[in-house]
């Protein structure tokens, strides 16, 4: 069985934006009143400390996410390192934390919608606490329905909301600081209150983990993932501190503590009613956006638990029509509605969500140490905590999380304790005999010797497969190329890609696409059997991604491949693509030799007599070498003919067409490095070069032609002549080129500059 991989589609900017979108949310609009009441102006220290604790967690999570890049986030890492006992605690804890956070956001929504907008829209005023609760319930039910039905536009809307919120907060801070806030008694309630407030406000920091849960989809994760996570923590932390500075320096602590719409009331003082209205609208958008993200994240935690057999898989069933985990979403929505309906205080909701994530991150820090010491074969992080910071970061992070937990109120500790105990009981009653993972703590206590690789180089041929009818022939041709490099311990890497729409979670889609996953496994299992017959080293990779062409290019880059060989149906398009949406980007951008094969639908295709078009093109020698590899693998019954067509008439130096052809073939043989015993020559003289080649092709079993162009040309990939031969010749056709070095686009240059 080959584990599915997710294609890497996200660069630094995309990953950073995802993280920022979850951090710049409802907390900053709702928490200032609660934090100011607890710690006064010193609450800005609480926000700063919460950011530092999150920064430590982000560093540990970065190593774990690049070492085990699977969907599921902190739950997955803890479950793999510490076993299903702690996995059950963290899984249920994260799910509960997200439901409490959703309820917190929804009550904040009710406060800004009714008392807030009620100042401007008459019928929204005067509803009181019951009105706030009803508004929260209605919106929570609506968001549950949106996620249940899988509305596709939510992703684009989320991006618009994030940009709007960043603009509003930056404007608020700029005008507020210029207005000159005046801080009175900085720490009226003492440092214990400041420490306790960290637990209250930490709910606003829990979103950065979404970057870790997307680790499988991030390009160059060793660099982009830790940078994106750190940036996604630092940016909002500075914003939160600034908002508290402006808020506590503009309104009295008493006025701020009693406000249901604190940021809007502060904005009124220096931005007027228009500014206050803008902040209210922003808060309404933020609370909706944050709650929506929390409901979706909770469903994905459920999915990861179900995958590991810790949670009953019934909860993870994907809807036949909507392709959403509707039962998990419904369960999350129901619990959120219950928490709102029974009147749990907004501060308590925030603190319980914080409590559960602090427990989670404390165990994440332990997981880093366990995996470092156990050093399992599957753990190979491309980013490691620098030696000067290890084990300082996980130790300080663990201590900080525990210290904050101990400072929280007894009621919050009691609720959090009940959830932890529930996780333990669930493990004992349900998951103990079903869970798939085992703890690595024993190996961490007594680690075995470190494995050392031999460092031997390989000649690697990547072969994407999708059709069982052509798989054997493609692998046979890839094996021929590999066998020609035995001295370099050649290897064939077989890849199959399941493409998933942009709107669907890559990992979640696998549960819906059971038939496609089974077909993928059958293809790869068959490849292993074929490889045994061909006596060639083989690895398989099963990938789930948005775009097959991009996924293949990523494999080529990750494996540092020497050659990619693809099948082709033999048809061209005059629309968006030339040879196909998968083939065009691979042939156009692959940094290694690329071979495209159209297989003739008869027995023995790709074998028998081979004709190579001998020409002056930059890629012709590569084609000759490819043909020689195929001929050698096919045995003595195969002939290799170098074919050239010359136009009639002597040239300026008096050389006849036959003489010109002989000279060209001699130069061609020298460039390709062929031996005289390997080939025969054939020179034709004709006006119609294309027609002559097509007529001659019918006499051979396989036609090999090299690309006639370099660089990116929209009208062709290999060139018009090779593609015409490939399309019209009723034989197996092989088109080949050497490594491509296309000009870099402006967008690629900008992205590369930002990521370097």
């Amino acid at each position: 069985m080959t584990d599915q991989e997710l294609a890497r589609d996200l660069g630094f900017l995309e990953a950073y934006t995802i993280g920022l979108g979850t951090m710049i949310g409802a907390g900053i609009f709702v928490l200032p009143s609660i934090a100011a009441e607890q710690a006064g102006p010193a609450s800005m220290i609480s926000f700063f400390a919460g950011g530092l604790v999150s920064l430590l967690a982000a560093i540990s999570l970065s190593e774990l996410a690049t070492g085990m890049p699977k969907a599921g986030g902190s739950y997955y890492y803890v479950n793999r390192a510490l076993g299903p006992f702690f996995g059950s605690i963290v899984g249920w804890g994260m799910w509960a934390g997200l439901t409490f956070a959703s309820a917190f956001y929804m009550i904040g929504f009710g406060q800004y919608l009714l008392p807030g907008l009620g100042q401007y829209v008459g019928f929204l005023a005067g509803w009181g606490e019951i009105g706030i609760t009803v508004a929260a319930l209605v919106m929570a039910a609506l968001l549950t329905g949106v996620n249940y039905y899988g509305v596709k536009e939510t992703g684009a809307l989320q991006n618009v909301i994030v940009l709007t919120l960043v603009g509003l907060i930056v404007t608020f801070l700029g005008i507020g600081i210029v207005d000159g806030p005046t801080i009175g008694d900085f720490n009226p309630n003492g440092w214990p209150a400041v420490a306790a407030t960290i637990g209250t406000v930490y709910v606003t920091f829990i979103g950065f983990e979404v970057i870790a849960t997307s680790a499988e989809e991030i390009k160059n994760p060793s660099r982009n993932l830790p940078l994106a996570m750190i940036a996604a923590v630092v940016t909002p932390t500075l914003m939160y501190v600034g908002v508290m500075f402006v808020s506590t320096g503009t309104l009295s602590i008493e006025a701020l503590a009693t406000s249901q719409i604190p940021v809007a009331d502060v904005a009124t003082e220096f931005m007027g009613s228009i500014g206050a209205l803008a902040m209210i609208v922003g808060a309404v958008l933020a609370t909706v956006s944050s709650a929506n993200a929390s409901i979706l994240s909770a469903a994905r935690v459920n999915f990861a638990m179900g995958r590991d057999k810790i949670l009953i898989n019934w909860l993870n069933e994907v809807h036949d029509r909507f392709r959403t985990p509707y039962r998990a979403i419904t369960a999350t929505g129901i619990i959120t509605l219950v928490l709102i309906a029974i009147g749990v205080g907004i501060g308590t909701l925030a603190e319980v969500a914080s409590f559960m994530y602090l427990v989670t991150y404390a165990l994440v820090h332990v997981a880093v140490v366990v995996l470092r010491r156990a050093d399992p074969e599957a753990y190979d992080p491309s980013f490691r905590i620098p030696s000067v910071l290890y084990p300082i970061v996980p130790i300080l992070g663990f201590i900080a999380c525990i210290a904050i937990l101990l400072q929280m109120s007894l009621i919050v500790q009691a609720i959090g304790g009940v959830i932890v105990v529930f996780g333990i009981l669930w493990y004992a009653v349900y998951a103990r005999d079903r869970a798939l993972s085992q703890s690595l703590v024993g190996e961490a206590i007594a680690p075995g010797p470190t494995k050392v690789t031999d460092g031997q180089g390989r000649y690697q041929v990547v072969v994407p497969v999708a059709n069982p009818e052509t798989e054997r022939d493609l692998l046979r041709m890839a094996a021929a190329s590999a066998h020609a490099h035995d001295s370099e311990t050649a290897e064939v890497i077989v890849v199959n890609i399941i493409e998933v729409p942009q709107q669907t979670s890559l990992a979640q889609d696998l549960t819906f696409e059971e038939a496609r996953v089974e077909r993928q496994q059958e293809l790869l299992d068959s490849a292993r059997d074929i490889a045994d017959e061909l006596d060639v080293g083989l690895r398989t990779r099963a990938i789930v991604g948005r775009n097959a062409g991009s996924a293949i290019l990523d494999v080529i880059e990750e494996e540092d491949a020497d050659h990619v060989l693809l099948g082709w149906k033999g048809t061209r398009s005059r629309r968006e693509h030339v040879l196909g949406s998968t083939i065009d980007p691979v042939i156009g951008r692959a940094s290694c030799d690329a071979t495209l094969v159209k297989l003739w639908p008869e027995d023995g295709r790709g074998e028998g007599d081979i004709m190579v078009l001998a020409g002056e093109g930059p890629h012709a020698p590569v084609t000759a070498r490819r043909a020689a590899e195929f001929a050698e693998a096919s045995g003595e019954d195969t002939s290799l003919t170098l074919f050239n067509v010359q136009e009639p008439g002597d040239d300026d130096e008096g050389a006849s067409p036959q003489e010109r052809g002989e000279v060209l073939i001699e130069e061609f043989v020298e460039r390709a490095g062929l031996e005289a015993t390997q080939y025969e020559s054939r020179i034709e003289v004709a006006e119609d070069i294309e027609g002559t080649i097509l007529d001659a092709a019918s006499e051979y079993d396989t036609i090999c032609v090299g690309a006639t162009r370099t660089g990116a040309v929209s009208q062709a990939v290999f060139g018009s002549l090779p593609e015409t031969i490939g399309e019209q010749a009723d034989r197996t056709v092989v088109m080949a080129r050497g490594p491509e070095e296309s000009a870099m686009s402006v967008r690629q240059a900008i992205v590369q500059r930002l990521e370097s």
Side-chain angles (χ1 to χ4, degrees):
M1 184 77 171
T2 302
D3 290 338
Q4 277 74 23
E5 309 169 39
L6 306 187
R8 298 192 181 278
D9 299 324
L10 306 177
F12 165 76
L13 292 176
E14 291 91 343
Y16 170 62
T17 303
I18 289 173
L20 191 64
T22 59
M23 298 282 280
I24 303 293
I28 197 59
F29 293 96
V30 179
L31 288 171
S33 58
I34 300 171
E37 182 179 17
Q38 291 182 353
S43 56
M44 68 181 76
I45 302 297
S46 302
F47 276 97
F48 185 75
L52 288 179
V53 173
S54 294
L55 188 60
L56 295 173
I59 294 172
S60 287
L61 272 172
S62 294
E63 175 167 330
L64 292 172
T66 60
M68 296 182 295
K70 296 290 184 181
S74 293
Y75 156 76
Y76 180 86
Y77 313 134
V78 170
N79 189 55
R80 288 299 179 274
L82 307 183
F85 175 83
F86 288 102
S88 179
I89 293 172
V90 168
W92 283 110
M94 288 178 68
W95 183 74
L98 288 165
T99 57
F100 273 80
S102 298
F104 162 73
Y105 298 140
M106 286 293 84
I107 293 178
F109 165 81
Q111 291 180 173
Y112 272 91
L113 181 71
L114 298 181
L117 284 180
Q119 301 174 25
Y120 304 88
V121 182
F123 75 88
L124 294 176
W127 289 88
E129 292 297 326
I130 293 178
I132 291 173
T133 301
V134 171
L137 288 170
V138 170
M139 181 52 69
L142 180 61
L143 289 179
T144 301
V146 165
N147 282 284
Y148 183 103
Y149 288 105
V151 176
K152 298 177 181 179
E153 288 74 18
T154 54
L157 178 61
Q158 188 97 345
N159 292 335
V160 173
I161 291 174
V162 170
L163 292 174
T164 302
L165 295 179
V166 170
L168 285 174
I169 294 172
V170 169
T171 303
F172 174 88
L173 291 175
I175 299 176
I177 291 172
V178 170
D179 190 63
T182 303
I183 302 295
D185 186 0
F186 181 74
N187 190 10
N189 300 328
W191 292 110
V194 174
T197 304
I198 299 173
T200 302
V201 303
Y202 197 76
V203 65
T204 201
F205 289 98
I206 67 177
F208 70 91
E209 177 164 335
V210 72
I211 300 175
T213 63
S214 303
E216 282 185 278
E217 304 175 50
I218 295 176
K219 299 177 181 178
N220 190 14
S222 62
R223 182 183 183 280
N224 290 339
L225 190 142
L227 282 182
M229 292 189 72
I230 290 170
V233 170
V234 171
T235 304
T237 298
L238 297 177
M239 287 185 173
Y240 298 158
V241 172
V243 168
M244 289 309 300
F245 171 71
V246 171
S247 298
T248 55
T250 301
L251 290 182
S252 67
I253 299 302
E254 292 75 18
L256 196 59
T258 56
S259 173
Q260 291 182 310
I261 50 172
V263 175
D265 285 342
V266 172
T268 302
E269 298 297 314
F270 53 80
M271 295 173 71
S273 59
I274 297 298
L277 177 61
M279 300 309 291
I280 290 170
V281 172
V284 169
L285 292 174
T287 49
V288 171
S289 172
S290 296
N292 181 67
S294 295
I295 292 171
L296 184 59
S297 296
R300 292 187 176 182
V301 171
N302 287 163
F303 164 71
M305 293 173 71
R307 180 177 58 187
D308 295 329
K309 308 300 183 184
I310 287 180
L311 185 64
I312 182 171
N313 214 41
W314 175 87
L315 198 62
N316 285 307
E317 183 173 315
V318 176
H319 198 285
D320 290 341
R321 178 182 173 189
F322 304 124
R323 300 180 68 174
T324 60
Y326 65 104
R327 287 174 178 161
I329 289 170
T330 301
T332 301
I334 289 173
I335 299 300
T336 301
L337 291 169
V338 169
L339 292 173
I340 296 170
I342 63 177
V344 179
I346 189 170
T348 301
L349 291 170
E351 289 187 74
V352 172
S354 299
F355 184 96
M356 299 318 305
Y357 267 83
L358 287 165
V359 170
T360 295
Y361 292 144
L363 291 173
V364 160
H365 290 301
V366 176
V368 171
V369 177
V370 168
L371 284 164
R372 276 284 191 103
R373 290 186 57 80
D375 193 23
E377 186 175 352
Y379 184 66
D380 184 24
S382 54
F383 167 81
R384 287 180 178 268
I385 299 173
S387 57
V388 295
L389 297 177
Y390 180 86
I392 297 173
V393 165
I395 291 174
L396 281 181
F398 176 80
I399 293 172
C401 289
I402 298 301
I404 298 171
L405 289 171
L406 294 176
Q407 290 291 325
M408 300 180 82
S409 66
L410 290 177
I411 183 65
V412 171
Q413 291 176 345
I415 296 172
V418 168
I419 296 171
V420 170
V421 170
F422 177 83
I424 294 172
L425 292 176
W426 181 268
Y427 167 78
V429 174
Y430 179 83
R432 183 200 296 268
D433 298 326
R434 295 179 174 86
L436 300 177
S437 60
Q438 294 181 337
S439 171
L440 296 174
V441 175
E443 285 76 5
I445 295 172
T450 303
K451 301 176 181 64
V452 179
T453 60
D454 58 14
Q456 190 174 20
R458 292 180 180 273
Y459 181 89
Q460 295 179 313
V461 185
V462 172
V463 186
V465 295
N467 185 352
E469 294 181 2
T470 61
E471 181 180 30
R472 174 175 292 277
D473 291 297
L474 292 177
L475 286 177
R476 180 172 48 75
M477 300 175 88
S481 182
H483 282 308
H485 299 81
D486 276 343
S487 60
E488 300 178 55
T489 61
E491 181 180 47
V492 174
I493 300 167
V494 178
V495 181
N496 179 261
I497 297 145
I498 294 177
E499 285 190 307
V500 175
Q502 190 68 37
Q503 295 84 358
T504 307
S505 160
L506 295 180
Q508 191 77 51
D509 188 74
L510 293 179
T511 62
F512 181 81
E513 300 286 6
E514 290 183 5
R516 292 171 70 189
V517 172
E518 289 178 6
R519 189 161 61 250
Q520 182 181 64
Q521 292 300 332
E522 289 171 1
L523 269 171
L524 298 180
D525 290 343
S526 174
R528 283 186 280 268
D529 294 338
I530 296 169
D532 289 339
E533 298 175 18
L534 298 173
D535 190 26
V536 64
L538 179 136
R539 278 191 293 122
T540 59
R541 293 186 62 171
I543 298 177
V544 183
R546 309 292 184 199
N547 180 278
S550 297
I552 294 169
L553 286 169
D554 288 340
V555 170
I556 291 169
E557 182 178 351
E558 292 166 13
E559 301 286 357
D560 194 19
D562 301 276
H563 181 192
V564 57
L565 188 146
L566 305 93
W568 178 45
K569 294 180 179 179
T571 57
R572 286 187 289 177
S573 169
R574 290 290 181 261
R575 296 178 183 176
E576 183 180 358
H577 305 288
V578 179
L579 303 178
S581 59
T582 299
I583 294 172
D584 284 7
V586 176
I587 297 299
R589 291 160 46 200
S591 57
C592 62
D593 286 358
T595 302
L596 192 63
V597 180
K598 183 196 78 172
L599 292 166
W600 182 240
E602 291 184 0
D603 293 338
R605 52 195 179 185
E607 298 179 316
D609 297 329
I610 300 174
M611 181 180 89
V612 182
L613 294 189
E616 298 175 338
H619 301 291
V622 176
T623 309
R625 288 193 290 271
R626 208 93 305 141
E629 292 168 356
F630 299 155
E632 183 178 352
S634 298
E636 297 180 357
D637 294 336
T638 296
S639 67
L640 178 61
T641 301
L642 305 185
F643 184 82
N644 178 255
V645 181
Q646 291 289 327
E647 294 182 349
D650 296 346
D651 62 15
D652 294 339
E653 298 178 359
S656 68
Q658 188 72 26
E659 290 171 338
R660 293 199 304 269
E662 290 172 356
V663 170
L664 186 145
I665 287 179
E666 287 177 7
E667 294 175 349
F668 177 79
V669 168
E670 185 177 351
R671 290 167 61 201
L674 298 181
E675 298 178 5
T677 55
Q678 288 183 300
Y679 68 90
E680 300 173 359
S681 298
R682 177 177 172 181
I683 301 169
E684 296 281 350
V685 180
E687 294 277 2
D688 183 5
I689 295 177
E690 185 177 293
T692 302
I693 293 172
L694 290 172
D695 288 342
S698 62
E699 303 173 27
Y700 297 87
D701 300 289
T702 300
I703 315 302
C704 295
V705 56
T708 57
R709 53 156 292 275
T710 58
V713 179
S714 60
Q715 288 79 14
V717 177
F718 277 102
S720 60
L721 177 61
E723 289 165 15
T724 298
I725 294 170
E727 188 175 32
Q728 296 185 17
D730 57 353
R731 292 291 185 269
T732 292
V733 178
V734 175
M735 294 188 284
R737 68 153 180 81
E740 182 66 45
E741 296 181 0
S742 300
M744 186 181 298
S745 69
V746 173
R747 180 183 180 277
Q748 289 171 327
I750 293 172
V751 171
Q752 180 169 310
R753 175 64 63 183
L754 290 170
E755 294 184 351
S756 63

